[in-house]
Amino acid sequence: SDMERLAAVHPVTERYACMSLSLMLLSRGIDLSDAEAHAPPSALKDILAPAEGSDSTESAHRFAVLESNLSHLRIEFQRVVEMTSDALVRAVARNPAVPVTVAQHVFAVNNFYHVLSVWSGTSEEPDAETGSDPGSPVRGTDSDDAASTASTTSLVPSALGAPTLRLAKQLVHASSDFKEVKRTYQDAATKLATEALRVGFAPFLTFVESAADGGLESLSIDRVQQEGKAFANNLRAGLDSVVGCIRRVVCDSGNASEVIKLAFTQLVVVNTSFHGIASTVAGSGGNLPLRQIVITSQQLLHQMKRAT
């Protein structure tokens, strides 16, 4: 279905991620076909230095051309993701399984996360507990992730040795393409988290936003207490709705966890803003204890832990 295609990694993404990783490593002098003959370099300059007897000017020119072509390829890939996302969102809008405002960011989050995961799969030292690379900005942990990681790490032979593998990862993470894709992913993930949060807490978010925009003067203590009580009563169900919405549309468990963390962080910030609103109104409207109006941060974090 269109919804399943929206909440999945596109085959073009899988091929782009693996091909671009190979080109990035080869362009920096890491020989993927002859691991035993490749001595582990001790610094970045060892990889970037031209081979003995080669023309340094020609080598630099070739490197610059390849880097430019990789950047053009990344830009076109991002454009394909955007166009595909728009087409799929229009298709699912006719019978949405999730709000369209959520669906708008799903394809980008799934596909850019996959690229970053592949590009971060150059380490042979996964975390013992999670199975993830501790230095990786994003990493999934379920069986689907294991398959994609296996296909990725096969591009970087373990015979290269841990020092070279770590250096290869540093080189990839230092590239402008990695930084741009990571920025794009983080932007899409933040927007998805915001819209998923509205699935569970739309009235509370609207109230806090309205009050923060200058509506404090017209608020009564009764209204603030009413909103606080409604938030408390809805807290469990709302958190479950947010988590369920995100897990429904994000195909990688590690990716879903990242987005859930973003959503929960935003909710903590909103709740803290509500504390300020309640404190201001309660201070000018009587001696009603603040604890009768708000959910404390400790209570909120406890419920978040339960929801995940």
Side-chain angles (χ1 to χ4, degrees):
S1 68
D2 290 322
M3 190 64 219
E4 290 173 338
R5 293 169 62 198
L6 187 68
V9 175
H10 197 281
V12 168
T13 300
E14 297 173 346
R15 286 158 179 74
Y16 165 75
C18 290
M19 181 185 72
S20 56
L21 174 63
S22 298
L23 290 174
M24 276 191 272
L25 296 179
L26 288 169
S27 71
R28 287 157 173 80
I30 297 180
D31 188 349
L32 304 181
S33 63
D34 188 14
E36 294 182 355
H38 188 87
S42 59
L44 299 182
K45 58 182 176 57
D46 294 331
I47 281 183
L48 297 176
E52 184 177 353
S54 67
D55 187 302
S56 59
T57 302
E58 182 181 356
S59 297
H61 174 70
R62 289 178 178 175
F63 179 79
V65 169
L66 181 54
E67 287 289 285
S68 177
N69 288 339
L70 282 170
S71 293
H72 284 303
L73 183 62
R74 187 257 307 160
I75 291 170
E76 288 303 308
F77 167 71
Q78 289 179 288
R79 188 174 66 86
V80 168
V81 170
E82 182 179 350
M83 292 173 60
T84 306
S85 176
D86 290 345
L88 290 172
V89 169
R90 286 194 298 271
V92 301
R94 294 190 290 269
N95 187 26
V98 296
V100 173
T101 52
V102 172
Q104 288 174 342
H105 311 293
V106 168
F107 193 76
V109 166
N110 282 320
N111 284 270
F112 289 127
Y113 178 89
H114 180 78
V115 172
L116 291 174
S117 294
V118 170
W119 287 358
S120 297
T122 55
S123 172
E124 65 174 3
E125 302 178 46
D127 182 86
E129 294 184 2
T130 64
S132 64
D133 181 347
S136 172
V138 286
R139 168 71 60 214
T141 57
D142 60 15
S143 58
D144 290 336
D145 304 332
S148 67
T149 302
S151 66
T152 302
T153 52
S154 66
L155 296 171
V156 188
S158 58
L160 286 176
T164 302
L165 288 172
R166 284 194 294 270
L167 188 54
K169 180 176 174 179
Q170 291 174 19
L171 287 165
V172 172
H173 284 196
S175 69
S176 60
D177 289 323
F178 182 91
K179 293 175 181 177
E180 182 60 28
V181 172
K182 183 178 179 181
R183 183 198 64 77
T184 305
Y185 163 77
Q186 290 175 332
D187 181 61
T190 299
K191 291 177 179 177
L192 176 57
T194 300
E195 296 305 328
L197 200 57
R198 291 192 179 278
V199 171
F201 300 100
F204 184 67
L205 296 178
T206 301
F207 171 78
V208 173
E209 290 167 357
S210 176
D213 288 339
L216 277 176
E217 295 181 358
S218 61
L219 289 179
S220 65
I221 188 65
D222 290 338
R223 174 68 192 285
V224 174
Q225 191 173 16
Q226 178 185 353
E227 293 294 337
K229 184 177 180 179
F231 175 59
N233 291 338
N234 178 56
L235 184 56
R236 272 191 170 227
L239 290 173
D240 289 343
S241 295
V242 172
V243 171
C245 175
I246 293 171
R247 293 203 184 281
R248 190 179 308 123
V249 298
V250 178
C251 62
D252 180 286
S253 63
N255 192 5
S257 295
E258 294 289 332
V259 179
I260 289 170
K261 288 177 186 176
L262 288 172
F264 283 3
T265 300
Q266 291 181 26
L267 186 58
V268 170
V269 172
V270 172
N271 189 52
T272 302
S273 297
F274 181 71
H275 285 198
I277 294 167
S279 179
T280 301
V281 175
S284 62
N287 297 318
L288 188 66
L290 196 61
R291 65 177 177 274
Q292 295 185 18
I293 305 176
V294 304
I295 292 290
T296 66
S297 296
Q298 185 177 2
Q299 291 171 322
L300 183 57
L301 291 172
H302 174 73
Q303 290 299 325
M304 287 176 174
K305 184 177 181 180
R306 178 205 61 81
T308 55

